[in-house]
Amino acid sequence: MLSYPSAISLSTRSLNHLTTLIRNHRQTLGTRWRRLDPGRQALLALAHLRSGDTYAQLAAGFGIGVATAWRYIREAVDLLAATAPTLIEAMRRIRRLAYVILDGTLIAIDRLRGHKDRLHYSGKHKRHGVNVQVIADPHGRLVWLSPALPGATHDLTAARAHGIIAALTSAAVATLADKAYRGAGGAIGVPHYGRDLPARMRDCNHSHNQIRGIGERANATLKTWRLLRRLRCCPQQATALTAAILVLQHVEEQPG
């Protein structure tokens, strides 16, 4: 297989952050030698997450075996995911915001068979995938991502299952969401619905949708990580992948 130099649209902050995690992990394990040093392993994982390069492509480019590439990437993803904020930890930041935007996104996925195939099929999106709940700040930046659930899960059901509605309501944080969250109650605000709405309600819905639309930037940010445009792995790995990407996105958004 031919290989050539390429670029990854990430800053050195992400590379340094992941390199440090890998180096500390190796010191804890007492690892003496590996085919790739911590910096090269970090670069390997970033190329997979950001550019969506396959294991075979990366193995050829880095001069290692496909199984080794898979093992190195899996290790790096697990190290990043372990540092991702929980909902409770994310609420410390959320409480300081004027409001947040809640939305659900479907991350397409393949390699499904039998019963799993039905569970992961989204009738809304007409494709298979996993449901991830996204909390964004007023500027459309990612604050928190939920663990992945099968794509057939409704957004409101997913939000309740993760305790998102209860957490936001308890913290009294105003939350804008779309009509999929009707009936959520608490701090969750959704558009007015019904036919022949008064002008006042239509104006309110227009303003609501304009502000909530900012939250779509967070979903768009997720898709800049090409791996998430279509996952080619077991659905059980989706949670670790999205958690790892959340950590890296926060690193990228750090000032300086």
Side-chain angles (χ1 to χ4, degrees), residues 122-192:
S122 169
K124 175 182 177 181
H125 298 278
K126 308 300 181 184
R127 65 173 59 181
H128 295 87
V130 291
N131 179 299
V132 175
Q133 296 295 295
V134 181
I135 298 180
D137 69 10
H139 300 286
R141 292 174 299 208
L142 285 169
V143 177
W144 185 75
L145 297 175
S146 74
L149 290 176
T153 308
H154 191 276
D155 282 339
L156 179 56
T157 301
R160 285 173 171 163
H162 296 306
I164 298 172
I165 297 173
L168 293 172
T169 301
S170 177
V173 179
T175 306
L176 281 70
D178 61 24
K179 60 183 180 181
Y181 296 88
R182 290 174 182 172
I188 312 299
V190 298
H192 297 288

Side-chain angles (χ1 to χ4, degrees), residues 27-159:
Q27 290 176 351
T28 301
L29 295 177
T31 301
R32 294 185 178 181
W33 180 87
R34 289 193 183 184
R35 290 292 302 274
L36 299 181
D37 61 36
R40 294 285 286 173
Q41 182 180 351
L43 188 62
L44 173 78
L46 293 178
H48 179 65
L49 295 172
R50 187 67 170 185
S51 303
D53 294 338
T54 65
Y55 298 126
Q57 290 171 328
L58 293 169
F62 283 80
I64 57 178
V66 175
T68 302
W70 179 88
R71 187 170 65 252
Y72 281 3
I73 291 171
R74 183 65 180 272
E75 181 182 55
V77 167
D78 289 344
L79 290 173
L80 287 167
T83 65
T86 64
L87 179 58
I88 295 175
E89 293 169 342
M91 288 305 299
R92 299 169 188 168
R93 174 183 173 185
I94 291 172
R95 287 189 180 92
R96 299 194 296 268
L97 299 174
Y99 63 89
V100 295
I101 302 165
L102 174 63
D103 197 8
T105 188
L106 184 84
I107 298 175
I109 195 167
D110 58 11
R111 299 188 182 180
L112 298 170
R113 295 179 181 177
H115 183 55
K116 289 183 179 180
D117 187 85
R118 296 191 299 272
L119 286 176
H120 289 82
Y121 183 77
S122 169
K124 175 182 177 181
H125 298 278
K126 308 300 181 184
R127 65 173 59 181
H128 295 87
V130 291
N131 179 299
V132 175
Q133 296 295 295
V134 181
I135 298 180
D137 69 10
H139 300 286
R141 292 174 299 208
L142 285 169
V143 177
W144 185 75
L145 297 175
S146 74
L149 290 176
T153 308
H154 191 276
D155 282 339
L156 179 56
T157 301

